[in-house]
Amino acid sequence: MITASDIFTISSQKQFEKIALKVFRFQHENNKVYRDFCDFLKVNPQQVKSLQQIPFLPIQFFKSHDVVSNSDPAEVTFTSSGTTGMITSRHLVTDVSLYEESYRKGFSQFYGNIEDYVVLALLPSYLEREGSSLIYMVEDLIKLSNQPESGFYLHNHDDLIKKLLELDEAGQNVILIGVTYALLDLIEKHQFDLQNTIIMETGGMKGKRKEMIREELHEQLCKGFGVSSIHSEYGMTELLAQAYSLGEGIFECPPWMNILVRDPEDALTYLKDGKTGGINVIDLANINSCSFIATQDLGKKYPNNSFEVLGRFDNSDIRGCNLMVL
């Protein structure tokens, strides 16, 4: 039996690999969707001895199947955002305390004590729908900050501008977490020169603006907020762990999360560090669903286990990712 303590006390790559292989065998045995996928690939779990031999479930399965590794009822169901008529992902979370421990410990690792910050959130497209895992996390971080000034902003940009200027001038440490298009809207209304504020973008234009390459986007945000770097959060509906970038778009994982980069032409082959391919995520906090996810993101990994996200596959480029439809 793998416990939360096993997952959240990992302190080395060797320990990570050992627990990941245990989680793989557990999920192969208890997750029918994942087991059928492994069977389709003719993978014998007894012969899997390394991370590279573990099959990664294409992320699209969360749109068509209930991906769970136990029979417990879902405590919460997270859903992805999508345009009208689009099929969205559903992540049935049977133990939400694992998600809470994952993001609390992850935040603490990269930023220290949450009580040292006022947390402001500008996440309109997430806030306006049900089932967002990002809203769940940020709402909890706002409460944990114990700061009366912490809170969500929707379209009340003038109030947020006033609050940011007041707090920054008072020397208060602030984290502003925002969806990309809303942060751009904000700096079009006001040019800042912030000294004590971290700007963290969560990605996504949500169809509101033209997509931009990261360098151009971060340059605009740095200029508009008057900061030297833009932080980013890499998470998704189907995961319970987040990676963080403290600048330059280079992400680092908490100890219970790791990535591999697969060959875009052959989903079962992995690329060397520095080569661009599809991002496969190992998220051991996802023990009750699937910890081995082949995403639709393109990126590259570096020798110190950090990684960069470079974009997404378009549908015509997903070769070998849609290996089967159960």
Side-chain angles (χ1 to χ4, degrees), residues 67-228:
V67 182
V68 288
S69 293
N70 59 31
S71 56
D72 297 342
E75 292 183 352
V76 62
T77 299
F78 292 131
T79 56
S80 62
S81 54
T83 52
T84 307
M86 196 179 188
I87 299 170
T88 56
S89 292
R90 293 170 72 246
H91 187 182
L92 306 179
V93 181
T94 59
D95 182 358
V96 77
S97 72
L98 285 168
Y99 182 45
E100 292 167 351
E101 190 162 1
S102 178
Y103 66 66
R104 288 171 184 173
K105 279 189 157 69
F107 181 92
S108 174
Q109 177 185 331
F110 291 99
Y111 294 99
N113 189 344
I114 184 68
E115 292 187 4
D116 293 339
Y117 299 93
V118 167
V119 179
L120 303 179
L122 183 60
L123 300 165
S125 50
Y126 293 93
L127 207 55
E128 291 168 321
R129 67 176 186 83
E130 293 290 317
S132 165
S133 58
L134 178 63
I135 293 297
Y136 188 100
M137 175 178 86
V138 173
E139 193 167 35
D140 190 46
L141 292 176
I142 284 170
K143 284 179 193 157
L144 292 171
S145 73
N146 278 328
Q147 301 273 6
E149 308 277 14
S150 291
F152 283 99
Y153 288 79
L154 195 53
H155 301 295
N156 44 339
H157 288 173
D158 291 339
D159 294 344
L160 177 55
I161 289 165
K162 187 178 171 199
K163 182 63 66 183
L164 271 171
L165 294 172
E166 276 175 12
L167 292 168
D168 198 74
E169 204 172 303
Q172 170 66 53
N173 291 328
V174 174
I175 293 183
L176 172 60
I177 302 175
V179 66
T180 306
Y181 78 83
L183 292 174
L184 289 168
D185 289 347
L186 193 66
I187 57 174
E188 282 180 2
K189 290 196 80 167
H190 188 92
Q191 291 282 298
F192 296 88
D193 183 21
L194 300 172
Q195 305 299 313
N196 302 292
T197 302
I198 291 169
I199 307 298
M200 184 188 293
E201 56 100 359
T202 65
M205 292 301 184
K206 304 295 176 193
K208 307 279 186 181
R209 283 172 175 260
K210 179 174 70 73
E211 292 289 341
M212 298 162 68
I213 62 167
R214 179 188 53 77
E215 287 82 1
E216 183 189 359
L217 168 66
H218 282 203
E219 188 181 329
Q220 277 195 34
L221 292 175
C222 281
K223 190 176 173 188
F225 285 106
V227 295
S228 59

Side-chain angles (χ1 to χ4, degrees), residues 21-34:
L21 287 166
K22 278 188 181 177
V23 169
F24 160 66
R25 292 192 179 96
F26 168 78
Q27 291 181 340
H28 182 276
E29 190 176 325
N30 293 282
N31 184 327
K32 183 183 185 309
V33 172
Y34 185 54

Side-chain angles (χ1 to χ4, degrees), residues 15 19 27 37 62 177 193 261 273 305 308 312 323 325:
Q15 193 182 3
I19 292 174
Q27 291 181 340
F37 178 70
F62 283 84
I177 302 175
D193 183 21
V261 175
D273 291 344
N305 275 338
E308 199 171 352
R312 289 174 70 80
L323 283 171
V325 178

Side-chain angles (χ1 to χ4, degrees), residues 48 51 196 236 242 261 264:
V48 172
L51 300 184
N196 302 292
M236 55 192 74
Q242 301 78 32
V261 175

